[in-house]
Amino acid sequence: MDLYAQPTPKCYSYRTVYLAHALNHVIRTRNLVISNNRKLELASAKGLPSDDLVESSRDQGFVRPTVLILCPFKKDAFDIVHRLERLIFGEEGKGSIWNRDRFNTEFKSEEAPAFKTRMPEEFKELITGNNDDCFRVGIALSKKVLKLYEAFDKSDFILCSPLGLRMILDGEAGKESHLISSIQIAVIDKADIMLQQNWEHLSIIFSHMHNQPSRIDTDISRVRQCYV
């Protein structure tokens, strides 16, 4: 799905659209895995599962993360997480969020200063807020819990800046390119801003995407054929 949106200052409702799509994808994928687990267990109890059943049960990738969201600044990630929270728990927010305080401390923006001169609203929005461009957060979903700062290999979503992700793919922080070997939904939020940062980061990220990992820790019989 390709979605082009031209946001106006402080109006990012398009994020709710792609987050709803990504959330639906994660939930449907998980339900499919659970359903296939039950089918295989029942078949194993009666004997060896048939080849057709094993083949139809290919429902996973090499790793768990299936959604990658790239955004330029921490202030954008803060908004994305809060929109995801409202989608999952509703406006009342009746749910548990792990590491909420840590996330708010690191990602929340300070109050914008008053501008003495007249400036375009787009420019004000761009230069204010938490403009740290090096971050990465793993997000996992479970029953009534949204887990922030989850280990990446146990996450459903990877939310990061291009620089933050590149550093762990092939940089000073490690070589973890296997983390994006099974991405099914990739979102580039505010690509125009990333173009002004360093487009090479994005080029390197997508050159690593869907590469087969050197070490496989999952059941290869459950991996989708498109990844093998």
Side-chain angles (χ1 to χ4, degrees):
M1 180 182 73
D2 294 325
L3 172 66
Y4 174 79
Q6 183 63 44
T8 56
K10 299 181 181 179
C11 181
Y12 296 99
S13 57
Y14 69 90
R15 286 174 174 161
T16 303
V17 176
Y18 72 66
L19 285 172
H21 175 68
L23 183 61
N24 177 67
H25 180 80
V26 168
I27 293 173
R28 287 169 64 92
T29 299
R30 177 176 300 174
N31 289 341
L32 177 62
V33 171
I34 293 173
S35 175
N36 285 337
N37 286 343
R38 291 173 180 169
K39 291 178 182 178
L40 290 170
E41 288 175 2
L42 290 173
S44 297
K46 298 177 181 179
L48 290 176
S50 66
D51 292 340
D52 290 340
L53 177 59
V54 172
E55 194 64 25
S56 65
S57 298
R58 291 183 177 272
D59 50 17
Q60 303 174 28
F62 292 111
V63 290
R64 178 170 169 175
T66 57
V67 178
L68 172 65
I69 301 176
L70 295 163
C71 58
F73 302 121
K74 280 188 173 181
K75 62 185 178 185
D76 299 304
F78 185 83
D79 180 63
I80 289 168
V81 168
H82 278 263
R83 289 179 183 275
L84 183 61
E85 176 188 354
R86 289 196 293 271
L87 280 171
I88 297 172
F89 302 127
E91 294 296 333
E92 297 180 357
K94 292 183 178 180
S96 176
I97 301 179
W98 287 11
N99 298 311
R100 182 202 292 268
D101 292 340
R102 175 186 171 186
F103 180 78
N104 288 341
T105 299
E106 295 182 6
F107 284 78
K108 192 173 183 179
S109 299
E110 297 180 356
E111 186 175 350
F115 290 90
K116 296 181 180 179
T117 58
R118 297 181 62 182
M119 297 180 181
E121 290 299 319
E122 291 87 347
F123 182 73
K124 291 180 183 179
E125 196 277 335
L126 176 62
I127 65 174
T128 58
N130 191 339
N131 284 336
D132 188 340
D133 67 347
C134 185
F135 60 90
R136 48 190 176 268
V137 180
I139 303 174
L141 303 178
S142 62
K143 292 183 178 180
K144 298 183 179 180
V145 178
L146 181 64
K147 300 178 181 179
L148 303 178
Y149 296 99
E150 181 63 281
F152 290 116
D153 58 351
K154 297 180 181 179
S155 299
D156 298 299
F157 297 79
I158 296 179
L159 173 62
C160 55
S161 65
L163 174 60
L165 182 56
R166 178 182 178 178
M167 289 178 65
I168 64 171
L169 293 183
D170 189 10
E172 299 176 357
K175 296 184 182 295
E176 306 288 340
S177 60
H178 66 282
L179 294 173
I180 57 173
S181 63
S182 304
I183 295 297
Q184 297 175 10
I185 296 178
V187 178
I188 304 176
D189 196 328
K190 288 189 174 180
D192 57 327
I193 304 300
M194 297 179 192
L195 185 62
Q196 305 302 318
Q197 293 175 326
N198 189 340
W199 194 256
E200 183 184 19
H201 296 331
L202 278 177
S203 299
I204 290 176
I205 288 170
F206 280 91
S207 70
H208 283 283
M209 191 174 292
H210 298 152
N211 290 343
Q212 286 194 10
S214 57
R215 187 184 68 184
I216 299 175
D217 296 323
T218 190
D219 183 356
I220 194 67
S221 68
R222 298 292 295 275
V223 176
R224 296 176 185 269
Q225 285 287 3
C226 60
Y227 297 130
V228 177

